[in-house]
Amino acid sequence: MTVTLGQYLAQSGADPSLVDLLLALTGGCERISAAVRRGAAGDIMGALESENVQGEVQKKLDVISNEILLEACAPAARLVAIGSEEMEGIHPVRKLGPDGGFFLLFDPLDGSSNIEVNVSIGTIFSILPAPTSASEREPIEADFLQPGRNQVAAGYVVYGPQTTLVLTLRAGVRVFTLDPVTAQWLEVNEAAAIPPETKEFAINASNMRHWAAPVRQYVEDCLAGETGPRGKNFNMRWVASMVADVHRIMMRGGVFLYPWDAREPNRAGKLRLMYEANPMALLVEQAGGASFDGFGPTLDAKPVSLHQRVSVMLGSKAEVDRLQRLHADALQPA
Ligand code: P6P
């Protein structure tokens, strides 16, 4: 008998208030899915005059999705505060107190540049423990700055041909698809597992001339195919929607790279640590893969700001291990 999300969460042993938060969050994602499906049929396409904290032009659906999630999650009993790609500061919901609670972070609609061309986009979320405080106080951004290894749950919803939730409570990875007829999230994949080996890599190859040597070496070796050092031919994929590219890897393996590049040498990468790299890294590790930020495991990175960017290389473990070796070799004296 197909398990629903509610049934899985009820028997997971997770903290009941974490279950409440996840049900509220996925309820918001159901509303985002309906808005995305309406697309141009509703007055929700196009760009606004505004820019988000990243300096990116905000799409109407970005802002609508952020508002949907804020409204949907606010009632969750022990949700203390929210961090979002679409908001500069944290969004306090309750005071910190002796019984702690949770911080929720999300990119409400990642890949939104694909909205106009009907390509899959998604919501990425991360849930961290809120610290306890003997006396009640307002949460501050510094409370959020915990390594990704602290996450108690993480996941994404991809709005594609199906609306699919990929979720981890740190006990493996579960996959649910939203049944549009019954509006139930039905489990479709007991436990996603990423094959350690792959023949597929995902990177925006137009940036090749800007990459650091280890990344360039890795990709050139893949492109050399079966007569090169890898001894096999590779395929390349690049959807330019992280949720879509990572979902493919969660389902069949592969490696995703958005590394540091010389276009903005003072910027660690394009993607954000707290609500893109960390949740994806936890999912990938829980599915047997690995995630590397150019220095060490993504989940060990110590955040210094809510919206900090990071280099991302994640997916099939043998590929990420090779990338780590290439980076380590580059540090050896000639
Ligand atoms: P580029 C979408 O804007 C995003 O943040 C990720 O979802 C995606 O992987 C990346 O940027 C695409 O970046 O430079 O290839 O357009």
Side-chain angles (χ1 to χ4, degrees):
M1 199 267 276
T2 303
V3 172
T4 66
L5 174 62
Q7 290 165 341
Y8 164 67
L9 291 174
Q11 59 76 41
S12 67
D15 180 319
S17 46
L18 176 60
V19 170
D20 287 347
L21 176 54
L22 287 166
L23 290 173
L25 177 63
T26 50
C29 292
E30 290 172 40
R31 291 169 54 195
I32 294 173
S33 177
V36 167
R37 298 227 172 293
R38 286 196 66 206
D43 177 25
I44 52 172
M45 301 294 274
L48 300 169
E49 299 301 313
S50 58
E51 287 188 349
N52 64 17
V53 65
Q54 326 292 339
E56 294 162 346
V57 171
Q58 285 183 303
K59 306 284 186 184
K60 281 185 186 174
L61 259 178
D62 281 331
V63 174
I64 291 169
S65 301
N66 193 65
E67 288 165 1
I68 286 173
L69 294 181
L70 291 179
E71 183 188 331
C73 296
R78 291 175 61 228
L79 172 61
V80 174
I82 295 173
S84 166
E85 181 190 78
E86 300 302 328
M87 301 186 298
E88 182 155 4
I90 63 168
H91 176 85
V93 177
R94 288 177 182 77
K95 288 186 186 302
L96 273 174
D99 68 347
F102 302 105
F103 291 139
L104 170 64
L105 296 109
F106 49 65
D107 181 354
L109 204 60
D110 177 72
S112 53
S113 56
N114 290 301
I115 293 173
E116 277 80 19
V117 293
N118 201 16
V119 167
S120 297
I121 50 185
T123 297
I124 310 172
F125 62 89
S126 169
I127 300 177
L128 287 166
T132 57
S133 170
S135 57
E136 284 212 332
R137 67 169 174 84
E138 286 297 332
I140 58 174
E141 179 173 316
D143 295 322
F144 276 72
L145 303 182
Q146 307 174 34
R149 198 86 48 210
N150 284 15
Q151 293 172 99
V152 294
Y156 60 80
V157 175
V158 52
Y159 309 110
Q162 300 100 38
T163 292
T164 296
L165 164 69
V166 178
L167 171 69
T168 184
L169 302 179
R170 305 182 67 95
V173 176
R174 310 301 278 258
V175 182
F176 301 84
T177 289
L178 183 62
D179 181 338
V181 175
T182 63
Q184 285 275 19
W185 295 92
L186 301 178
E187 185 161 38
V188 292
N189 181 330
E190 269 288 310
I194 299 175
E197 309 286 343
T198 184
K199 293 181 178 177
E200 220 162 46
F201 68 93
I203 193 166
N204 181 338
S206 69
N207 300 322
M208 190 165 203
R209 63 189 181 284
H210 304 300
W211 297 334
V215 171
R216 193 170 183 142
Q217 183 65 61
Y218 173 80
V219 173
E220 285 173 351
D221 288 351
C222 290
L223 293 176
E226 57 190 5
T227 58
R230 302 303 308 274
K232 60 183 180 180
N233 295 327
F234 278 76
N235 256 336
M236 196 196 92
R237 294 284 184 275
W238 189 249
V239 182
S241 173
M242 186 186 197
V243 174
D245 278 314
V246 173
H247 189 64
R248 185 187 55 254
I249 290 166
M250 295 300 293
M251 294 298 106
R252 69 185 192 208
V255 60
F256 171 95
L257 301 91
Y258 210 114
W260 169 94
D261 69 55
R263 288 176 295 169
E264 293 192 52
N266 296 325
R267 198 175 81 161
K270 173 178 186 182
L271 303 177
R272 291 82 173 182
L273 175 62
M274 298 300 292
Y275 41 78
E276 290 175 336
N278 271 340
M280 293 307 201
L282 185 63
L283 285 167
V284 164
E285 278 202 7
Q286 285 288 319
S291 182
F292 174 60
D293 68 2
F295 302 97
T298 302
L299 293 177
D300 294 341
K302 299 201 175 358
V304 295
S305 69
L306 188 64
H307 299 292
Q308 81 180 64
R309 297 174 190 266
V310 68
S311 171
V312 179
M313 292 166 265
L314 60 76
S316 292
K317 190 165 185 334
E319 298 306 313
V320 179
D321 289 349
R322 173 180 288 267
L323 279 156
Q324 288 195 251
R325 285 195 303 274
L326 286 167
H327 281 75
D329 293 349
L331 295 175
Q332 297 305 318

